[in-house]
Amino acid sequence: MVTHRIALIPGDGIGQEVLPAATAVLDVVGRRHGVALRYDEFDWSCERYLREGAMMPEDGLDQVRDHDAIFLGAVGAPGVPDHVSLWGLLIPIRREFRQYVNLRPIRVFEGVPSPLREATPDDVDLGVVRENVEGEYSEVGGRFGRGFPEDMAVQESVFTRAGVSRIADYAFELASRRGGGLTSATKSNGIVHTMPFWDEIVAERAAGYPDVRWNSEHIDALCAKLVLSPARFDVIVASNLFGDILSDLAAALAGSIGMAPAGNINPEHHFPSMFEPVHGSAPDITGNGVANPIGAIWTAAMMLEHLGHDAAAHDVLDAIAGVLAKSDLRTPDLGGSASTEEFTAAIVDHLG
Ligand code: NAI
Ligand code: MG
């Protein structure tokens, strides 16, 4: 029996509803594969912010530094500005633990129609690799002239050779393992300093992966192509902002944002990686018990894979695909009337 210590941060809104679903699945699959997960739960959230003035304690990062992974639901709640919740919890974790890869797989499952009528399980199976610690989401800049008519804001993008090289390497390696191609998202026609720099380094790194066919696409055209012919894509590597937008678009192609998983990964395993579904806290459906748990459950499978349990991860994916293909059970975001609990129970049954 292998034991892993997991820091569990349900966070806000439906994060509180989908993480229990995912841990229920982890418990079953763990028993089957001899993997024991020990959870330490943290109440870091907007609720804590409103109560104590901070999303997490001063020494929060140290409290989770030695865990094998962090599993997070969602953060954000009405009444707390989104930049406060994001920069008070998620971004410090991503940066301090050098989770410089944000990996977001997207698949069309049998039984879940894509809004694109032509998209099938055979052709939509791709991964967005988002640079996760620099780029457009930088702290460099400031406000000037507050309270005057010339009030202004400046925010500088930061692209480093080390940062672009390592994200490109991760994406090329993933594309090579999947036996597919790589597309690099750029905008070097409009953004004349950072994006040509990105392009240059991606081209340099490509030389080390002669087996991977790759190309560059401008982000605007790439968005259009992703909708028009998603089957053309396998791995897409993108800067922080481009990758954020692309992965929500790609998640929607798969039928619902509630299905999309994500990992914030420190590939060297020097620090714990953090796994969280792509969706947010969904205040509009919080408390109704109808959140789609697939995003969180698939995220749990990514965590298992990261911890070295490929077969267990595979079983979870099979269970998701199996329940979707063989039953009509769907949460309301997919047009059904199943509750989070009912859908989760079906997955657990399928595994057991
Ligand atoms: P959202 O992802 O929470 O919701 C967008 C829409 O998708 C809503 O209509 C929601 O009901 C639906 N939805 C999302 N997940 C679902 C699920 N599992 N099952 C069924 N339907 C689902 O994004 P929104 O509304 O932009 O943000 C709400 C809050 O979440 C904000 O405070 C935002 O800052 C935060 N947020 C947090 C993220 C995170 O923790 N990583 C990511 C995105 C947003
Ligand atoms: Mg997110």
Side-chain angles (χ1 to χ4, degrees):
M1 186 70 96
V2 195
T3 303
H4 298 289
R5 279 184 65 212
I6 309 295
L8 207 59
I9 310 175
D12 299 301
I14 62 165
Q16 304 265 358
E17 302 171 29
V18 295
L19 274 213
T23 54
V25 171
L26 282 171
D27 289 345
V28 190
V29 78
R31 269 200 299 279
R32 177 194 279 188
H33 288 273
V35 183
L37 300 177
R38 271 199 20 234
Y39 301 108
D40 294 316
E41 191 164 335
F42 299 86
D43 69 346
W44 306 346
S45 58
C46 289
E47 212 177 286
R48 185 184 190 282
Y49 176 84
L50 292 173
R51 207 173 56 230
E52 303 185 32
M55 294 292 295
M56 64 174 156
E58 199 94 32
D59 67 344
L61 295 173
D62 288 326
Q63 294 187 29
V64 295
R65 187 179 298 276
D66 295 323
H67 284 77
D68 296 308
I70 303 164
F71 193 12
L72 183 135
V75 292
V80 177
D82 284 343
H83 70 270
V84 169
S85 48
L86 195 65
W87 284 85
L89 181 57
L90 281 186
I91 294 197
I93 293 177
R94 289 175 181 168
R95 297 202 172 180
E96 175 74 12
F97 298 147
R98 292 210 162 216
Q99 296 163 348
Y100 61 82
V101 176
N102 193 298
L103 178 62
R104 299 179 159 184
I106 293 100
R107 281 171 52 176
V108 163
F109 287 97
E110 192 186 335
V112 183
S114 164
L116 307 180
R117 266 173 305 140
E118 311 289 311
T120 68
D122 286 334
D123 55 35
V124 180
D125 183 354
L126 58 100
V128 175
V129 175
R130 165 186 174 192
E131 200 293 319
N132 209 27
V133 295
E134 54 174 54
E136 303 88 346
Y137 293 15
S138 91
E139 287 166 278
V140 180
R143 290 282 294 265
F144 178 79
R146 274 180 207 264
F148 292 97
E150 64 271 29
D151 193 8
M152 62 174 280
V154 173
Q155 183 140 11
E156 302 284 359
S157 294
V158 176
F159 285 77
T160 66
R161 172 165 290 278
V164 179
S165 300
R166 67 192 175 195
I167 198 69
D169 282 340
Y170 185 90
F172 275 110
E173 271 157 34
L174 180 65
S176 171
R177 270 203 311 280
R178 290 169 57 107
L182 178 85
T183 302
S184 164
T186 186
K187 190 62 195 171
S188 44
N189 54 353
I191 302 177
V192 297
H193 300 302
T194 53
M195 280 294 136
F197 182 69
W198 168 279
D199 290 351
E200 240 170 78
I201 296 176
V202 172
E204 271 172 41
R205 305 315 295 177
Y209 306 90
D211 57 317
V212 178
R213 74 195 144 70
W214 74 282
N215 70 334
S216 272
E217 297 266 9
H218 290 304
I219 183 68
D220 40 0
L222 178 49
C223 286
K225 285 177 190 170
L226 201 52
V227 172
L228 293 173
S229 41
R232 288 179 36 179
F233 297 96
D234 187 42
V235 175
I236 301 174
V237 63
S239 63
N240 210 333
L241 174 64
F242 291 172
D244 195 7
I245 298 170
L246 273 177
S247 52
D248 271 36
L249 170 64
L253 299 182
S256 164
I257 191 178
M259 298 183 54
N264 300 275
I265 297 171
N266 175 251
E268 294 83 12
H269 290 253
H270 290 161
F271 300 97
S273 294
M274 172 167 68
F275 297 85
E276 50 162 344
V278 168
H279 64 73
S281 52
D284 53 338
I285 59 164
T286 296
N288 301 346
V290 294
N292 189 337
I294 295 177
I297 294 170
W298 188 352
T299 297
M302 290 179 75
M303 181 168 77
L304 286 171
E305 196 180 330
H306 180 78
L307 294 170
H309 307 292
D310 290 7
H314 199 266
D315 277 5
V316 173
L317 251 289
D318 267 2
I320 296 172
V323 170
L324 290 173
K326 287 180 196 121
S327 80
D328 293 336
L329 216 55
R330 302 284 184 274
T331 43
D333 57 310
L334 294 177
S337 59
S339 67
T340 309
E341 245 173 73
E342 283 162 346
F343 192 86
T344 306
I347 301 268
V348 167
D349 273 357
H350 195 282
L351 284 165

